Amino acid sequence: MRLNPRPATASGTRRLARRHPAALLALFLCSTGGALAALALPAALGHTVDGLIDGGPVPWSGLLLCAVLTLAETGFDAGAAVLGTSTTARLTAHLRTRTTARVLAAEPRDALAVPTGDLTARLTARTADAAAAPVTAAGAVAGVLLPLGAVTGLFLIDPWTAAAFLLGAPLLVALLHTFTRRTADAGADYQRAQSVIAHRLTEALDGADTIRAARTGAREYRRILEPLGALADHGRRTWTVYGRAAGQSALLLPLLMLLVLAVGGLRLHAGAIGVGDLVAASRYAALAVGIGALTGALGALARSRAAARTLDPLLTLAPLPHEGLGPLPGGPGHLEFRDVGVAQDGGPDGGPDGGPDGKPDGKPDGKPLLTEVHLTVPGGTSLAVVGRSGSGKSVFAAVAGRLLDPDTGTVLLDGVPLTAMDPALLRPEIAYAFARPALPGTTVEDTIAFGPWTADPEAVRAAARAARADGFIGLLPYGYATPLTDAPLSGGERQRLGLARAFAHPGRLLILDDALSGLDTVTEHHVRRALDERAGRCTRVIVAHRLSSAARADRVLWLEDGRVRATGPHEELWADPEYRAVFRTETAEAEETGAVPPARTEVEAR
């Protein structure tokens, strides 16, 4: 029976709150304690003022109580601020980790359905907004207690004074409600414009080589920055909302306080209340005006809820299904494709054959990328995958290593279907190198050691020598300890670091997706020798654009429009003029220089 990991639930406030219940309880108690101290202080202050006015002994106990309440309010508020900040940071880290893990555990074409720029925004800013919800909810108790307690205090002192405050309260509530709604709308529009800019910038960075070659940099510059106008409009709208709210509140709040004090003064003149009561009433009126804290908390919760909705599609991504099996122990890396087909967009990095438009192999949506692929690759041998751009080479490589699941058919490694293997057991058995590798880690050594397990320093250096990266690493300021930010790397040097990372994590299957394209002829020759040394111990699948790579492989897979055009040794396929046309550019260069056709030279060298 197939076992599927349980899908993640939405990033709700309750789920996050269960991560740090003690901290949130302490935050709740601090907020409550601060609110109660703030509500008790006006009453104590009014009682103390009455004691001073009566002309009797100095009410030291009342003064001490006021001091204690002031210190308590300050201490509780400081504790709530510290707890709120630290808890929000921990919850943000947890939510980012959980969301990122969910994205990485899903099939890449499902995870990459969200544009890269938008995905980055969700994993950074939106997680912070969503993670703030439990802290905001726990701290909102003060926003509820203060205005309600203050209005109650006004009623206990004098109902007429309380009625004066309630007369203007609807205007205050309407002002704050309008401010919160308009601010949330402007903020959401601002975030959407930021996501558009981030997505377009990511697209341009991915296709930088194509943009440079086509000399369309100026056009791309304008396209990326075009949403800046809308971004500026949303920013101005935000500040306009703030300005209007500040102006209106600057007029309304003093008028409301003046109304309360006027009615309180009249009641004092009539003898209905004392001076201490008037002092307490003025303090309670100031606290009641603080209803904005409650409205702000509600606005923050609304933003958190909106951010959580953008994270839910990521948190509910289905992980790669499997039956908990693992590859056969000690298997030679026997790879088998049985009627494999891929009908949808997919690929390891949005454009499997290096297309800058984000479409695998340059194909539009809906067209098959692979169709009825039947193939067996004996363990320990090498297979070169060739074909014109758009033929499905990188899709084949992605399916071979389960970066992409086929829509039809089965891929087996040493007799076990890839879809049945536990990804945690499968990953160490397959090493990948790409034309444009990502370089995680802080230093050069971290990058090479990064993988299913952390390679030791000796393995890192051996892998760098095999990838011919040791030479340029030695010229860096601190060698292998050089931070990547201080290591300006060419495209070929980045490829060699990617190759070294693959060599440092040997498994039974090594897949090179055009990972030799940036190497010069001499370096490529040495890297191919390192690959040949793995014969019999590791199956090598090499997506090849160069004739030399195809000529050196044990077998060649020739793809055309996602179908197998032919398979066999390079020497046999070379007799087909259409096969030779796949390498026309390199052949023409060899003929122009008067060299022997490269295919024959490589075959003889072998």
Side-chain angles (χ1 to χ4, degrees), residues 49-448:
V49 169
D50 284 338
L52 290 171
I53 292 177
D54 288 343
V58 177
W60 293 108
S61 58
L63 293 173
L64 179 61
L65 178 60
C66 291
V68 169
L69 290 174
T70 300
L71 291 175
E73 180 184 1
T74 303
F76 281 128
D77 288 346
V82 172
L83 285 170
T85 302
S86 59
T87 305
T88 299
R90 289 197 295 268
L91 290 175
T92 300
H94 162 72
L95 187 56
R96 283 177 180 166
T97 301
R98 184 159 65 97
T99 307
T100 303
R102 201 69 188 184
V103 171
L104 295 177
E107 189 178 351
R109 62 174 163 182
D110 292 337
L112 295 178
V114 179
T116 306
D118 189 19
L119 179 62
T120 303
R122 296 190 195 192
L123 293 176
T124 52
R126 310 293 169 75
T127 51
D129 289 339
V135 172
T136 303
V141 61
V144 176
L145 280 178
L146 285 177
L148 292 182
V151 173
T152 302
L154 284 175
F155 268 108
L156 292 177
I157 293 172
D158 182 58
W160 287 100
T161 306
F165 174 81
L166 293 178
L167 184 64
L171 294 176
L172 176 62
V173 173
L175 170 63
L176 295 175
H177 173 73
T178 302
F179 168 73
T180 302
R181 177 174 54 81
R182 290 180 178 177
T183 301
D185 292 341
D189 292 338
Y190 192 90
Q191 290 181 347
R192 280 192 288 271
Q194 283 182 318
S195 296
V196 172
I197 294 176
H199 175 54
R200 293 183 180 182
L201 178 59
T202 303
E203 284 184 327
L205 291 175
D206 287 342
D209 292 338
T210 302
I211 294 171
R212 188 181 301 111
R215 299 182 182 275
T216 58
R219 186 173 65 187
E220 285 299 310
Y221 179 83
R222 291 192 297 271
R223 186 179 74 90
I224 294 170
L225 298 185
E226 183 269 333
L228 276 180
L231 194 69
D233 290 340
H234 299 320
R236 282 192 293 270
R237 182 155 60 98
T238 300
W239 286 110
T240 300
V241 171
Y242 272 99
R244 289 178 178 174
Q248 293 170 353
S249 61
L251 177 64
L252 177 61
L253 297 184
L255 289 177
L256 189 58
M257 289 292 297
L258 180 62
L259 179 62
V260 171
L261 291 176
V263 173
L266 292 175
R267 297 291 289 169
L268 175 65
H269 179 72
I273 61 175
V275 175
D277 292 332
L278 181 60
V279 172
S282 66
R283 294 288 301 164
Y284 280 129
L287 291 177
V289 169
I291 192 174
L294 175 60
T295 307
L298 294 176
L301 287 173
R303 289 192 297 273
S304 296
R305 184 177 180 182
R309 282 197 295 268
T310 68
L311 296 179
D312 287 342
L314 303 180
L315 290 168
T316 54
L317 284 172
L320 285 172
H322 61 87
E323 297 174 10
L325 302 180
L328 297 177
H334 185 88
L335 186 65
E336 186 176 358
F337 278 60
R338 296 179 180 174
D339 194 26
V340 170
V342 177
Q344 301 176 6
D345 249 354
D349 49 11
D353 268 348
D357 59 354
K359 295 286 195 306
D361 282 328
K363 290 180 177 292
D365 294 345
K367 289 188 177 181
L369 305 178
L370 289 179
T371 305
E372 297 179 355
V373 176
H374 299 271
L375 181 70
T376 298
V377 184
T381 64
S382 60
L383 174 73
V385 185
V386 305
R388 298 180 185 276
S389 177
S391 59
K393 301 183 297 298
S394 288
V395 177
F396 177 91
V399 171
R402 210 191 177 191
L403 294 183
L404 176 66
D405 280 341
D407 296 299
T408 59
T410 306
V411 182
L412 300 94
L413 181 62
D414 289 324
V416 182
L418 294 184
T419 53
M421 297 184 192
D422 185 341
L425 299 177
L426 176 63
R427 276 299 134 227
E429 301 295 336
I430 302 175
Y432 260 101
F434 298 98
R436 293 180 296 174
L439 299 180
T442 304
T443 65
V444 172
E445 182 169 354
D446 292 341
T447 288
I448 299 176

